């Protein structure tokens, strides 16, 4: 079992937590992390870029100028891609970039990313994360105690924490069900409550 320290909001150690080695102590597999990030980024692409072909551009019924005697190359329509205002040749059309990974691969990528963070001491477990009211300044003071300038805040449903972190540009709140490889890499540090990390462990069992 992997043992991690559990802290309160003042960075005082209040206990230890045993975590499953099958989730938090697996070898680094960079290809899994790469595949998970590429899939997530591709699935965010809208693919709405679109251009009109010569058949869709209005006008062009009349030949723009006579066939011979002008010294110019002959043209049959002002809708030609060769003309200003004409249609686009081989332009983009709406398409989907969806890239679906098997569920087992996504879970394996999360396990290897979390294990790497734990080995690099970038994963901190809190007993709980309770704020008296929605206040960004109070949350920032707690984060300063842990010497964090950037990080991912993970808990169960916590409306106060979510709204208090909304104005912190370098921090992001996620419910434990929404944890993903891209955000783990982007925000580098992970501050997670005890109940949330146990939920993650249960979700990522191989």
């Amino acid at each position: 079992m992997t043992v991690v320290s559990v802290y309160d909001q003042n960075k005082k150690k209040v206990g230890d937590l045993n975590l499953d080695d099958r989730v938090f102590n697996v070898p680094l597999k960079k290809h899994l992390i790469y595949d998970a990030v590429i899939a997530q980024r591709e699935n965010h692409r809208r693919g709405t870029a679109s251009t009109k072909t010569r058949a869709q551009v209005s006008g062009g019924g009349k030949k723009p100028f006579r066939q011979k005697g002008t010294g110019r190359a002959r043209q049959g329509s002002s809708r030609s891609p060769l003309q200003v205002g004409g249609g686009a040749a081989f332009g983009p059309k709406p398409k989907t970039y969806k890239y679906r990974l098997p569920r087992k691969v996504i879970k394996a990528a999360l396990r290897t990313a979390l294990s790497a963070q734990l080995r690099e001491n970038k994963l901190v477990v809190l007993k709980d994360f309770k704020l008296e009211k929605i206040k960004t300044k109070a949350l920032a003071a707690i984060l300063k105690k842990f010497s964090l300038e950037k990080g991912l805040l993970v808990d169960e449903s916590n409306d106060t924490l979510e709204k208090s972190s909304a104005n912190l540009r370098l921090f992001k709140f996620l419910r434990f069900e929404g944890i993903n490889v891209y955000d783990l890499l982007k925000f580098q540090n992970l501050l997670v409550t005890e109940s949330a990390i146990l939920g993650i462990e249960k979700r990522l069992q191989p």
Side-chain angles (χ1 to χ4, degrees):
M1 298 292 283
T2 299
V3 180
V4 295
S5 299
V6 180
Y7 300 92
D8 63 11
Q9 293 180 178
N10 294 312
K11 203 182 178 183
K12 181 181 178 182
K13 184 176 177 179
V14 294
D16 292 311
L17 181 64
N18 293 323
L19 297 175
D20 194 337
D21 283 341
R22 297 176 300 169
V23 178
F24 293 96
N25 191 20
V26 299
L28 180 64
K29 297 179 180 178
K30 292 183 179 180
H31 67 282
L32 290 178
I33 293 177
Y34 175 84
D35 286 343
V37 170
I38 291 297
Q40 192 170 341
R41 297 297 292 161
E42 288 291 284
N43 290 335
H44 275 85
R45 294 184 69 178
R46 296 180 65 187
T48 55
S50 183
T51 54
K52 290 183 178 181
T53 66
R54 62 183 299 161
Q56 295 168 317
V57 176
S58 62
K62 182 182 177 183
K63 191 173 174 65
F65 48 83
R66 60 196 178 96
Q67 181 85 346
K68 297 181 181 230
T70 64
R72 301 174 63 186
R74 57 191 177 185
Q75 296 291 336
S77 172
S78 61
R79 293 185 296 187
S80 166
L82 302 177
Q83 295 290 311
V84 175
F90 309 111
K93 285 294 180 184
K95 60 178 287 188
T96 177
Y97 290 93
K98 283 205 174 291
Y99 175 34
R100 188 173 180 274
L101 281 178
R103 192 172 299 174
K104 286 185 177 180
V105 174
I106 296 173
K107 285 186 175 183
L110 277 168
R111 288 195 292 266
T112 191
L114 287 167
S115 298
Q117 282 196 315
L118 190 58
R119 281 192 292 270
E120 295 170 8
N121 297 316
K122 292 183 178 180
L123 191 155
V124 180
V125 181
L126 291 180
K127 185 67 179 176
D128 51 37
F129 219 135
K130 293 181 180 178
L131 298 173
E132 294 182 3
K133 57 183 178 179
I134 299 170
K135 195 166 184 67
T136 302
K137 188 175 181 179
L139 175 58
I142 294 172
L143 297 173
K144 190 174 182 180
K145 292 176 182 177
F146 288 91
S147 302
L148 295 179
E149 297 180 354
K150 186 176 186 180
L152 199 60
L153 311 176
V154 180
D155 196 2
E156 296 179 302
S157 181
N158 190 333
D159 191 57
T160 307
L161 175 59
E162 183 174 359
K163 290 181 178 178
S164 296
S165 64
N167 286 332
L168 295 175
R169 186 172 57 86
L170 297 178
F171 290 88
K172 180 179 180 179
F173 171 82
L174 278 181
R175 296 184 183 181
F176 76 89
E177 300 94 338
I179 196 167
N180 60 86
V181 174
Y182 178 76
D183 281 332
L184 287 174
L185 296 180
K186 179 180 178 181
F187 290 94
Q188 300 173 7
N189 297 291
L190 177 62
L191 196 62
V192 57
T193 62
E194 185 176 6
S195 58
I197 202 167
L198 291 174
I200 293 170
E201 181 183 70
K202 183 178 179 181
R203 177 189 166 204
L204 297 182
Q205 290 292 329

